[in-house]
Amino acid sequence: MEVKTNKRRGDPGKPPGLHRTAGCTIELLSSHNRVFDYLRDIQNRPQWERISTNSIVHELATFSTGPDPRNCISVLAISRHNDLLLLQECSTDETGSFVIFAPIEKAEFQSMLCGVDQEIQLMPFGFYILPNVSGSILDGTLLTMVFQITVKNVSKKKAVEAVTQTVKETLQKIMEAVN
């Protein structure tokens, strides 16, 4: 597990303040396509993602980004969070895959759709999924998760604990589901 701290002061598209970023790579026994399909499927999301726990996730819109129908950008709504949407981008090919998402306030998203010229600040996080090749043998998957939080009124130690605990719990749930 690697944890990094950034203090942002007006970086375009990033909220100002103190940010903690944690990342970790694990090895899974499943194929990279199985892991990718599991992570991008909105029905599975409540099983591994904290914000979606005990919720129903709805896909409001999807925009294709390539010939593979799994390569897309989606707008997701979470039943428990009426003021929040998730933007999710998924992409895959034989060399690897990613699933990246960012929460966005519904009001900001609606303003953007109406053409209001404003800077939208996103804190993306997600997964990079690589086939694990040992010599010439395909041997499972390497899954890297990166997660970010904005630190407000919390000690540095508690912020590090929160971000590392989130990554550990999420990866554990994914391992249990796909292995």
Side-chain angles (χ1 to χ4, degrees), residues 39-173:
L39 291 172
R40 65 177 285 284
D41 185 341
I42 63 171
Q43 302 306 314
N44 295 330
R45 217 178 177 94
Q47 296 172 23
W48 58 266
E49 183 190 38
R50 275 189 178 180
I51 200 168
S52 301
T53 302
N54 299 322
S55 296
I56 298 170
V57 180
H58 300 280
E59 192 171 64
L60 301 179
T62 299
F63 309 93
S64 178
T65 59
D68 186 323
R70 300 177 299 170
N71 293 346
C72 61
I73 297 173
S74 301
V75 181
L76 308 176
I78 302 166
S79 63
R80 256 181 9 153
H81 299 280
N82 293 330
D83 59 341
L84 188 69
L85 297 172
L86 286 175
L87 299 178
Q88 175 176 283
E89 182 175 5
C90 301
S91 182
T92 189
D93 64 26
E94 64 279 350
T95 63
S97 309
F98 64 80
V99 178
I100 299 171
F101 45 98
I104 183 171
E105 290 182 25
K106 192 180 269 186
E108 283 185 330
F109 186 75
Q110 289 172 334
S111 294
M112 182 182 69
L113 289 178
C114 293
V116 175
D117 190 20
Q118 68 180 30
E119 183 176 305
I120 305 281
Q121 298 177 341
L122 300 175
M123 288 284 287
F125 48 99
F127 304 93
Y128 196 68
I129 308 149
L130 291 172
N132 189 13
V133 179
S134 301
S136 62
I137 300 169
L138 185 60
D139 190 26
T141 299
L142 295 175
L143 176 67
T144 300
M145 178 184 180
V146 177
F147 182 76
Q148 300 182 80
I149 61 169
T150 301
V151 180
K152 295 180 183 176
N153 303 322
V154 184
S155 72
K156 289 180 182 181
K157 182 180 177 184
K158 285 189 180 190
V160 169
E161 288 172 359
V163 74
T164 56
Q165 189 63 28
T166 298
V167 171
K168 285 179 185 178
E169 287 175 7
T170 303
L171 291 175
Q172 183 64 38
K173 290 175 184 176

